[in-house]
């Protein structure tokens, strides 16, 4: 039961590489969401750009009524004492960060993701 055709060496071999990349990103976030209590994504300015549904459960306990109220805010306004800005600025991950806030105490991991263009 071998694979008769050689595997493509790059995404250029697919007819719609943008679709493949979107699907890969969706799949990555789906799997990550299953493993985490919540995911919060910030941009290169450390402003919140996305939260998953599990993270949204904590919004009320942080003083907000929905995710739309936190999108675009600096991460420290929503998650006091976070080291996410440091991760964004240095590019160095933090493997264990303990956050305490109104919603509770959380073990966190912060990593920086960039595009192939370094953004």
């Amino acid at each position: 039961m071998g694979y008769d055709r050689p595997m493509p060496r790059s995404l250029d071999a697919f007819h719609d590489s943008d679709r493949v990349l979107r699907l890969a990103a969706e799949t990555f976030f789906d799997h990550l969401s299953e493993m985490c209590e919540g995911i919060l994504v910030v941009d290169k300015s450390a402003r919140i750009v996305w939260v998953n549904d599990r993270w949204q459960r904590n919004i009320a306990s942080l003083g907000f009524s929905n995710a739309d109220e936190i999108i675009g805010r600096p991460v420290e306004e929503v998650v006091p004492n976070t080291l996410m800005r440091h991760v964004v600025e240095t590019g160095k991950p933090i493997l264990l960060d303990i956050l305490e806030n109104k919603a509770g105490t959380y073990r966190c991991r912060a990593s920086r993701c960039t595009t192939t263009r370094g953004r």
Side-chain angles (χ1 to χ4, degrees):
M1 287 195 177
Y3 188 73
D4 296 332
R5 293 181 295 158
M7 291 296 291
R9 292 183 179 226
S10 73
L11 290 177
D12 293 338
F14 292 97
H15 296 290
D16 187 358
S17 62
D18 287 340
R19 186 181 68 75
V20 172
L21 289 173
R22 280 191 307 276
L23 180 61
E26 289 172 13
T27 302
F28 171 75
F29 277 111
D30 287 346
H31 289 301
L32 196 58
S33 289
E34 291 174 13
M35 296 184 313
C36 300
E37 283 298 315
I39 301 171
L40 180 140
V41 177
V42 299
D43 64 10
K44 64 182 179 181
S45 300
R47 292 189 175 276
I48 299 170
V49 295
W50 183 80
V51 294
N52 74 339
D53 57 339
R54 287 185 177 194
W55 203 93
Q56 290 182 44
R57 290 182 284 183
N58 298 315
I59 289 176
S61 60
L62 294 170
F64 302 95
S65 59
N66 62 57
D68 292 336
E69 290 184 21
I70 67 171
I71 300 299
R73 290 180 183 257
V75 68
E76 298 88 357
E77 285 183 16
V78 178
V79 186
N81 306 314
T82 182
L83 297 174
M84 285 181 149
R85 183 174 299 278
H86 177 74
V87 172
V88 169
E89 291 171 351
T90 66
K92 296 180 181 177
I94 294 175
L95 301 179
L96 179 62
D97 186 11
I98 306 296
L99 295 178
E100 294 185 59
N101 57 40
K102 297 179 219 173
T105 302
Y106 300 91
R107 293 183 317 248
C108 303
R109 180 173 190 262
S111 300
R112 181 175 173 190
C113 298
T114 58
T115 66
T116 55
R117 295 181 193 123
R119 293 186 229 149

